[in-house]
Amino acid sequence: YTVDFNYYTKRTEDMLFKDINISSISGYDKLPYINGGVMDNKGWEIYLRMNNFIKTKDFSVGFTLNFSDNKNTIVNLNQSLLEGYNTEYDFKNGTYLTRIQENNSFGSIYGFRYKGTYKYDKYEKAMAEEGRFMDENGKPLAPFAADATGHVIMDENGKPKPMFFAYNRDVRHVFRGGDAIYEDINHDGSIDQLDIVYLGNSNPILNGGFGPNFRYKNFAVRAFFNFRYGNKVVNSARMHAENMYTDNNQSIAVNWRWRQDGDETDMPRALYRYGYNWLGSDRYVEDGSFLRFKYLTFDYAFPSKVLKPYGLSKLSFYLTINNLFVWTNYTGVDPEVGYGTLGNNKGISFDNSSTPRTKDFTLGVSVGF
């Protein structure tokens, strides 16, 4: 038996940040690198190996296991130097507010909360059909502003105040029936940067692997599983396959889009190069947890007494099958998405439909003389 447990805490000072925007008065508009932050990393890891914890004359069983967890926290940032690093939200479809923030982890995701679609275009129609403005889940039925109690906000003329997206100080997009509902966090009737909230983190709460091995006489079987738990992934591939914004191919999911007043669906209406129905929100932030059957190996070694007459010291055959199964609720092609870097998406895992891991097998023979 082998048991190994490690706990660590590490503070990294003078973190390097790349390509920082600065005033061009000196003739340069960027600093290639600066030392601008402090990060704490805390975590633990446990490794367990049990050789032959079940053993008889011809049969034995072994087992290996390793679990680990790491949490990072941004402790301090040089705000003056990093003013050009954490840029403002760009108010564009398909983008998230990517930033690093003190007391949060590197890899944090910030965006809007998605609530579905507006069932009706007019307040009066919602009241006539439903007799209410909010449904049982607190979702507005028509695109009008509501206060914290769920009642529609009236303007100075006594008419319902429309809900709009404030993407420009002078120009505002008014939502209509079938458009996406984004939660108005501060209940001011405007969807803007003040409604952007923390949506999770791309770092897993727990990850690791485990696997048994069995041996009966000269025949052996080894299996291994790896997993991640609690990490968030932005499914960019699904975002672009459901946005109905261009003439690109779309997912069959858009067949269930909103088409007319009264349609109850979470898929917004189709708007060609118009509207804001696919802003960066938790609609595309998915749980990336998975359990993967990484490999399974069969091995048979011929007894030496059988080989000796042929002048052989070793003869064995093996078959290894990789990536047999994956158990996950993630809707993309492969939940095992890589992490972003400091200069790329601030550590967020974006899935752009990279080629998934292949299921393959290897058949081999080993001969010794």
Side-chain angles (χ1 to χ4, degrees), residues 239-250:
M239 175 192 293
H240 288 91
E242 294 180 1
N243 60 32
M244 296 172 284
Y245 193 76
T246 66
D247 53 6
N248 292 338
N249 288 335
Q250 297 288 277

Side-chain angles (χ1 to χ4, degrees), residues 17 72 120 132 191 221 293 295 337 344:
F17 292 86
N72 71 77
Y120 300 98
R132 57 184 178 174
I191 301 301
V221 178
F293 196 162
Y295 68 79
V337 180
N344 178 26

Side-chain angles (χ1 to χ4, degrees), residues 168-236:
N168 187 292
R169 290 183 179 180
D170 303 315
V171 183
R172 298 173 177 178
H173 170 78
V174 178
F175 290 104
R176 301 292 303 272
D179 282 343
I181 302 174
Y182 303 105
E183 185 174 353
D184 186 7
I185 300 296
N186 58 356
H187 303 287
D188 63 351
S190 169
I191 301 301
D192 50 39
Q193 66 268 28
L194 298 178
D195 300 304
I196 293 176
V197 296
Y198 174 78
L199 300 177
N201 194 280
S202 291
N203 297 302
I205 297 173
L206 188 67
N207 61 77
F210 59 90
N213 60 80
F214 307 91
R215 181 174 296 278
Y216 177 72
K217 294 185 176 180
N218 294 333
F219 181 71
V221 178
R222 296 185 298 277
F224 186 76
F225 299 80
N226 69 306
F227 70 91
R228 287 182 191 167
Y229 171 72
N231 60 304
K232 300 295 183 181
V233 176
V234 177
N235 193 339
S236 299

Side-chain angles (χ1 to χ4, degrees), residues 220-287:
V221 178
R222 296 185 298 277
F224 186 76
F225 299 80
N226 69 306
F227 70 91
R228 287 182 191 167
Y229 171 72
N231 60 304
K232 300 295 183 181
V233 176
V234 177
N235 193 339
S236 299
R238 182 166 68 84
M239 175 192 293
H240 288 91
E242 294 180 1
N243 60 32
M244 296 172 284
Y245 193 76
T246 66
D247 53 6
N248 292 338
N249 288 335
Q250 297 288 277
S251 162
I252 60 172
V254 305
N255 289 328
W256 285 268
R257 66 187 181 274
W258 189 96
R259 298 170 189 264
Q260 61 184 5
D261 259 4
D263 284 351
E264 192 165 352
T265 176
D266 284 336
M267 185 65 64
R269 61 179 176 148
L271 293 173
Y272 182 72
R273 296 194 180 280
Y274 177 72
Y276 293 90
N277 285 340
W278 53 294
L279 294 172
S281 70
D282 57 357
R283 175 184 175 189
Y284 309 108
V285 177
E286 300 188 27
D287 182 5

Side-chain angles (χ1 to χ4, degrees), residues 3-71:
V3 179
D4 187 19
F5 178 79
N6 294 284
Y7 174 81
Y8 60 89
T9 177
K10 183 178 186 296
R11 170 160 291 190
T12 301
E13 299 181 342
D14 294 331
M15 291 173 59
L16 282 176
F17 292 86
K18 186 180 180 182
D19 295 333
I20 306 302
N21 295 324
I22 59 173
S23 171
S24 59
I25 190 172
S26 65
Y28 298 91
D29 62 352
K30 287 182 182 295
L31 286 175
Y33 289 96
I34 67 166
N35 300 105
V38 179
M39 174 191 285
D40 281 347
N41 276 277
K42 296 180 180 180
W44 56 267
E45 181 176 6
I46 185 170
Y47 174 77
L48 171 66
R49 182 183 182 90
M50 297 183 292
N51 291 325
N52 302 326
F53 73 95
I54 297 177
K55 186 176 182 180
T56 63
K57 179 181 178 182
D58 297 324
F59 179 74
S60 66
V61 179
F63 191 79
T64 59
L65 175 150
N66 69 281
F67 290 161
S68 65
D69 172 51
N70 176 75
K71 182 179 181 181

